[in-house]
Amino acid sequence: MEKRPDPVRTEIIRNGLVAITEEMKSNLLRTAYSMIIYEAPDFTVGLFDAEGNTVSIGIGLPMFIRGMSHTVRRMLEHFAEREGKRNVDIGIYPGDVLVTNDAYLTGSHLNHMTFVVPIFADGALVAFSACMAHWADIGGALDGMTKDIYSEGLQVPIIKAWRRGEPNHDYLDFIRMNVRIPERAMGDLNAQVAAVRMGARRFNQLIDRYGLEAVQGGISAIMDHTEARAREQVRAIPDGVYEAESFMDDDGVDAGKRVRIKVKVTVADDQMTIDLTDVAAQVKGFYNSGEAAGKACCQVAFKCLTSPLEKPINEGSFRPLNIILPPGRVVSAVRPSPMRWWMTFPMTIVDTIFKALAPAIPDRVISGHHADLLSAALNGRRPENGRLWLLSGGLIGGGWGAKQGADGSSATICINDGDTHNSPVEQVEAKYPLVIERYGLREDSGGAGTWQGGLGTEKIVRAAADFMFNAQVERVQCRPWGLFGGHPGTGNQVSVRVGPEKELRFPTGKVLARQLQTGDAYILRAGGGGGFGTPLDRPLEKIEDDLHEGYISRKRAEGCYGVVFKGGTNQIDVDATRRRRTDLIDRPIPPDALDPEESAVMSADDEAKLFTRGKSFLARCC
């Protein structure tokens, strides 16, 4: 009879695994060179068993959950295949450091480099320590749309960065030659390697203290426990087939052509199946992602619904989930589809899964959220020395959807990036020729409802030197939806202010290869979250608080919430408001009529001038 793991020791091991991945995160945060790693943080670390199953994840980006496990498994297969062919340097050995940035394998883009260290005990391979992190530059085009993977930068197949403890100088030299700022790339490389080596060392110490059998038995028990918890939550969902669809604005190439996101969720006893067969085919623009990302968005939604607080994040949580995802979809793209902005479409799939299940579990889902990074890609030359600078222009928070019993969160980074922080203004201004004029909440941006959607934000960035501006913003037209009568949140927005002239808003969020000169500014506005429940049921005391805090305007209170004020005051007339709300039940004001319009839409002539200016700037620089 198999010996049952000791529950006390298992709990100690559970906390030990979480502590290891948290220490890996801290190590990387303190040693990385790129601000997008140490401030964002755009990375994830993890421990995996000898078969590549997830043991513990230290989350930065939730969408990396499947990518790292998928990468570790493919590395195992890769070296097993090589061993069968009797190639040089076959197998995986102590001291090896494996690496790849294969976008079709990791599910993301070439900027995400994944390092993996095998962990041995008593001569046997028992686990892996891994880290995937964003490099600001991996070669490729800086400006404009990419239309295949070859224009997006250096592709690194599965190779060894270190062999049996010795650095592979061919690989290191190859990296230095193919990036624009090698000192930063090598700094991030060494930081990642240090983090995964620390993870391996700490895992070996756990084995030394409790024994391999106890650690492996504890991991198995932890996975079984999280599986049981997840199945219990799935059983609480009524059996049935639930479907929903949503749309993305376009792929940046076929302008105005909507991209369909359709999901089907089947619940049967303690099993859930998410079918993405009817999601749009891979697109011409750079919004594709690999299979690992398509599966990860299903896993992120599933974990939110079944075990959001369960730690460590491990394979057991996903055993009750089946995923159907044929190749060639926008979230299972195949070579040579472009992948640079891989992260945008998957998070709307997460929202759409919630939307599908809303009729079955209204108390466990949220309305749509702003679902975009709202990040500008900038590059230019420093005025003082002519050196190149690159910046993924600082992520900004937006509005999350409301849910039953609670308003949505405001100024919060989109679900793809999970633990990513709002970028600090001081860091950006200290390191780049930029001045942040404003970063604040966006009034009236949250969708009205019994529970109101979270507010988006507005960020105004002025150029202290000329630079190229690229924005890849989605969900400008296809706004975050409300549920059960809640209004949609406002869409995302991109604008520019050229010199002293008035602000002009782009009709789309795809603004590529435009030059901004000293004194110009770009403005990013994150959308708000969708509302939940009819606005006419929102308690008046909450509306008073919203008005006092500046979250909504008087116009929004009157138009969406049916509020009547006393005379010229801001005091609510309770009786008159109740009567008006009764009247509005049959003829509510359309939510679109009350959206904030911060700026005039840019004309075709204005757009052409900016484009010509950008082409001229590129010609001078290149």
Side-chain angles (χ1 to χ4, degrees):
M1 185 175 179
E2 187 177 346
K3 184 179 178 182
R4 184 172 176 230
D6 177 76
V8 174
R9 184 163 292 175
T10 295
E11 190 62 21
I12 293 171
I13 290 168
R14 178 200 301 276
N15 285 281
L17 295 170
V18 173
I20 291 170
T21 47
E22 288 301 311
E23 188 175 3
M24 291 169 70
K25 284 177 64 175
S26 296
N27 186 305
L28 184 59
L29 286 168
R30 293 173 180 174
T31 57
Y33 277 45
S34 293
M35 194 166 73
I36 197 168
I37 296 178
Y38 64 75
E39 285 291 354
D42 190 343
F43 69 87
T44 298
V45 299
L47 295 172
F48 304 85
D49 68 16
E51 296 176 350
N53 296 310
T54 303
V55 172
S56 178
I57 291 282
I59 277 194
L61 269 63
M63 292 298 176
F64 287 174
I65 285 176
R66 177 50 45 187
M68 285 200 300
S69 174
H70 194 57
T71 300
V72 170
R73 288 171 177 170
R74 186 65 192 95
M75 286 174 166
L76 278 165
E77 294 170 5
H78 172 79
F79 285 102
E81 290 168 2
R82 292 188 69 197
E83 190 166 10
K85 294 176 182 177
R86 299 187 178 277
N87 284 350
V88 177
D89 195 27
I90 59 176
I92 298 174
Y93 305 103
D96 285 350
V97 179
L98 318 179
V99 63
T100 186
N101 73 336
D102 184 344
Y104 305 96
L105 174 58
T106 65
S108 57
H109 55 185
L110 299 180
N111 297 76
H112 285 141
M113 200 69 74
T114 302
F115 290 88
V116 177
V117 165
I119 303 173
F120 288 82
D122 298 327
L125 178 63
V126 297
F128 292 91
S129 171
C131 172
M132 182 189 286
H134 184 107
W135 289 16
D137 172 49
I138 194 65
L142 285 178
D143 302 292
M145 174 62 67
T146 55
K147 296 182 181 179
D148 62 31
I149 194 68
Y150 306 109
S151 58
E152 295 186 342
L154 177 67
Q155 297 183 69
V156 180
I158 296 172
I159 59 175
K160 294 184 179 182
W162 270 258
R163 300 188 185 102
R164 303 182 190 239
E166 294 298 319
N168 177 358
H169 291 290
D170 292 339
Y171 162 73
L172 299 177
D173 291 342
F174 198 64
I175 290 291
R176 288 189 189 95
M177 186 174 287
N178 280 278
V179 296
R180 294 176 174 89
I181 308 177
E183 63 272 20
R184 183 165 66 179
M186 301 312 293
D188 290 337
L189 182 154
N190 288 322
Q192 284 188 259
V193 172
V196 291
R197 282 177 168 167
M198 170 180 279
R201 188 164 63 251
R202 293 288 186 256
F203 192 84
N204 279 129
Q205 289 172 350
L206 200 65
I207 291 172
D208 291 343
R209 185 167 186 177
Y210 299 108
L212 179 60
E213 183 180 356
V215 170
Q216 291 181 326
I219 290 170
S220 178
I222 290 165
M223 289 186 181
D224 290 345
H225 170 78
T226 54
E227 176 187 0
R229 291 288 299 273
R231 291 190 185 280
E232 180 184 3
Q233 293 299 314
V234 175
R235 275 193 293 267
I237 303 172
D239 286 359
V241 178
Y242 306 97
E243 298 183 69
E245 71 175 3
S246 59
F247 293 88
M248 311 302 295
D249 295 343
D250 59 49
D251 71 342
V253 175
D254 292 327
K257 183 180 177 181
R258 298 286 187 260
V259 180
R260 185 171 73 162
I261 303 295
K262 185 174 182 181
V263 305
K264 181 168 75 172
V265 182
T266 303
V267 179
D269 191 29
D270 63 355
Q271 289 279 334
M272 179 183 291
T273 300
I274 299 177
D275 187 347
L276 302 184
T277 300
D278 291 328
V279 168
Q282 60 193 49
V283 293
K284 298 174 187 175
F286 53 29
Y287 290 91
N288 299 292
S289 54
E291 176 192 1
K295 291 185 175 180
C297 58
C298 298
Q299 291 180 319
V300 168
F302 184 78
K303 183 157 178 62
C304 288
L305 293 168
T306 59
S307 54
L309 302 179
E310 194 76 27
K311 285 190 175 184
I313 299 169
N314 65 80
E315 204 72 29
S317 298
F318 309 114
R319 287 174 182 167
L321 175 64
N322 305 303
I323 300 169
I324 301 173
L325 177 58
R329 303 301 188 265
V330 74
V331 288
S332 59
V334 297
R335 197 177 299 275
S337 295
M339 311 274 277
R340 173 172 281 181
W341 224 247
W342 69 280
M343 71 295 289
T344 303
F345 286 14
M347 58 183 125
T348 292
I349 290 180
V350 177
D351 272 1
T352 309
I353 292 169
F354 294 154
K355 184 180 181 181
L357 287 167
I361 46 172
D363 58 328
R364 290 162 64 181
V365 299
I366 66 171
S367 300
H369 81 304
H370 69 289
D372 197 280
L373 295 176
L374 272 294
S375 174
L378 316 176
N379 64 86
R381 297 281 173 179
R382 297 186 181 278
E384 65 274 17
N385 55 23
R387 294 190 66 185
L388 176 73
W389 61 272
L390 307 169
L391 176 66
S392 292
L395 312 184
I396 69 173
W400 280 51
K403 62 182 180 180
Q404 184 173 299
D407 292 344
S409 297
S410 299
T412 301
I413 301 296
C414 55
I415 199 168
N416 176 82
D417 281 46
D419 289 351
T420 298
H421 309 152
N422 278 274
S423 300
V425 167
E426 295 81 5
Q427 282 278 11
V428 172
E429 291 185 332
K431 295 178 181 293
Y432 301 97
L434 303 169
V435 177
I436 314 301
E437 292 185 357
R438 182 176 189 273
Y439 184 30
L441 293 174
R442 189 179 171 197
E443 185 185 66
D444 287 344
S445 56
T450 308
W451 295 283
Q452 185 167 265
L455 297 182
T457 58
E458 175 187 70
K459 190 172 189 178
I460 304 175
V461 183
R462 187 173 78 248
D466 297 358
F467 61 80
M468 291 299 293
F469 172 67
N470 297 268
Q472 301 82 203
V473 175
E474 252 290 338
R475 304 293 292 277
V476 174
Q477 306 296 332
C478 298
R479 301 158 53 190
W481 55 82
L483 292 175
F484 303 105
H487 290 184
T490 55
N492 301 309
Q493 281 187 14
V494 181
S495 298
V496 294
R497 190 184 68 219
V498 180
E501 298 177 15
K502 67 179 180 179
E503 174 192 334
L504 295 171
R505 174 164 51 90
F506 290 93
T508 174
K510 283 86 173 178
V511 184
L512 304 170
R514 303 299 191 263
Q515 187 208 6
L516 296 186
Q517 296 176 345
T518 304
D520 294 347
Y522 69 85
I523 300 99
L524 297 177
R525 293 190 177 94
F532 193 105
T534 173
L536 300 177
D537 287 338
R538 186 164 179 80
L540 296 184
E541 58 270 20
K542 286 190 173 292
I543 297 172
E544 287 180 329
D545 289 342
D546 293 338
L547 287 163
H548 178 74
E549 296 294 339
Y551 296 161
I552 65 172
S553 65
R554 181 174 174 133
K555 178 181 177 183
R556 172 63 68 94
E558 292 172 330
C560 289
Y561 292 112
V563 169
V564 177
F565 293 96
K566 291 181 179 179
T569 72
N570 287 326
Q571 186 176 357
I572 295 176
D573 187 325
V574 176
D575 292 335
T577 296
R578 287 173 180 163
R579 290 193 297 271
R580 184 161 187 262
R581 283 183 159 190
T582 301
D583 292 340
L584 286 173
I585 289 174
D586 297 325
R587 49 183 184 86
I589 296 174
D592 289 356
L594 293 158
D595 279 353
E597 292 293 342
E598 287 92 350
S599 56
V601 177
M602 180 174 291
S603 70
D605 287 344
D606 290 325
E607 173 72 74
K609 289 176 185 176
L610 267 183
F611 182 67
T612 302
R613 187 206 272 183
K615 288 178 67 176
S616 174
F617 183 74
L618 284 174
R620 293 198 307 274
C621 289
C622 304

